Amino acid sequence: MRGFWKLTLMETKLFLREPMAAFFTLAFPLILLFLFGSIYGNEPTPFFGGYGYVDVSVPAYTAMIIATSGFLSLSITMASYREHGILRRLKATPLRPQAILGAQVIVIFVMTALGMALLVIAGKVVYDLRFDGNPWSVLAAFVLSCLSFFALGFVLAGLLPTARTAQIVAMAIFYPMIFLSGAGLPREILPEGIKGFSQVLPLTHVVTLLRGLWMGEPWGDHVLEVGILSAILIIGILISAKTFRWE
């Protein structure tokens, strides 16, 4: 266990030293929150069902963080480690393969949770963020969403040969998904055609689930989202187990 926690600590330091990963996970969502919060404020409006702009943006930006860490950071990091022979050397250590991959997952999960915590604190302190849900329900949805996107990240890392290829492909999928899913812009302002198309995007279901539970909606209203994210998690694990390569 000592080796596992040492590896986890090392991965944490490496994550924080990587400017792009740390910026887009911890800083960029806060920048968006303050930027649009300063423009629109957080006054309740019928347009958002009695909630303010910041109220609906915090769970949406949380979904953005999940996609950033799980889809971008994890896939690029694992592809880079394999390309540079780091995975091969780690596999030769006494640590079990599950521990090596588990350390990476723990670090990404903790950083994702930290990014969400910073959003919530900033929203509450600066904009009197409103929360009507059950904290445990939101936490459960957050964990499910993270694991689903981590599975997608491992699939991408296993299918793509190099870090550069993983970065290009991941970004080509990530940025349209951010703007079409409601993670970057509220879904209320999107055209109806875009809303229909966005149902095929995994991140749309993360946004819908987190936002709904944040506002106090019951789990029964989100059976579809839970089913889709659970299916992504299971299928992603099965595919990544077949495609993941250590060298």
Side-chain angles (χ1 to χ4, degrees):
M1 287 298 293
R2 181 181 299 179
F4 170 75
W5 291 115
K6 283 185 176 181
L7 178 61
T8 303
L9 179 60
M10 180 195 71
E11 291 291 349
T12 302
K13 293 178 179 179
L14 290 173
F15 182 93
L16 294 174
R17 290 174 183 173
E18 174 54 47
M20 187 179 75
F23 174 78
F24 281 102
T25 303
L26 304 177
F28 184 66
L30 285 175
I31 293 174
L32 290 180
L33 183 74
F34 291 132
L35 175 62
F36 290 107
S38 65
I39 296 173
Y40 299 109
N42 196 35
E43 293 298 320
T45 170
F47 189 69
F48 293 126
Y51 289 84
Y53 189 91
V54 173
D55 296 330
V56 301
S57 294
V58 166
Y61 292 164
T62 297
M64 180 191 299
I65 296 172
I66 291 172
T68 301
S69 58
F71 201 71
L72 283 181
S73 297
L74 185 59
S75 60
I76 295 171
T77 298
M78 298 309 294
S80 176
Y81 279 12
R82 184 179 63 245
E83 182 180 5
H84 293 93
I86 298 174
L87 285 180
R88 184 177 66 250
R89 290 193 290 271
L90 286 174
K91 190 181 180 183
T93 67
L95 285 173
R96 295 182 177 181
Q98 297 90 330
I100 296 170
L101 300 180
Q104 188 68 230
V105 169
I106 288 176
V107 171
I108 296 294
F109 178 81
V110 169
M111 291 302 154
T112 305
L114 178 59
M116 179 184 182
L118 292 174
L119 273 179
V120 172
I121 292 171
K124 187 64 178 177
V125 171
V126 180
Y127 299 105
D128 192 25
L129 177 66
R130 178 179 170 185
F131 176 74
D132 293 331
N134 182 297
W136 296 110
S137 291
V138 174
L139 176 60
F142 175 78
V143 171
L144 173 61
S145 301
C146 285
L147 294 179
S148 299
F149 266 79
F150 293 172
L152 289 177
F154 276 114
V155 169
L156 205 62
L159 292 175
L160 301 176
T162 66
R164 176 173 286 275
T165 305
Q167 182 177 17
I168 293 172
V169 173
M171 286 187 172
I173 299 172
F174 172 80
Y175 284 110
M177 185 164 58
I178 285 295
F179 291 108
L180 300 180
S181 66
L185 299 171
R187 296 196 73 216
E188 285 82 355
I189 69 175
L190 298 177
E192 289 301 322
I194 296 297
K195 290 181 183 179
F197 171 77
S198 69
Q199 292 301 310
V200 304
L201 303 174
L203 192 58
T204 299
H205 302 289
V206 176
V207 174
T208 303
L209 179 61
L210 289 177
R211 183 171 157 178
L213 295 177
W214 185 275
M215 295 177 177
E217 296 174 1
W219 282 95
D221 291 351
H222 298 282
V223 174
L224 175 63
E225 287 77 28
V226 172
I228 290 175
L229 293 176
S230 299
I232 290 173
L233 172 59
I234 295 171
I235 296 172
I237 290 175
L238 294 175
I239 294 176
S240 60
K242 295 291 185 181
T243 60
F244 189 81
R245 294 166 289 127
W246 291 90
E247 53 184 289

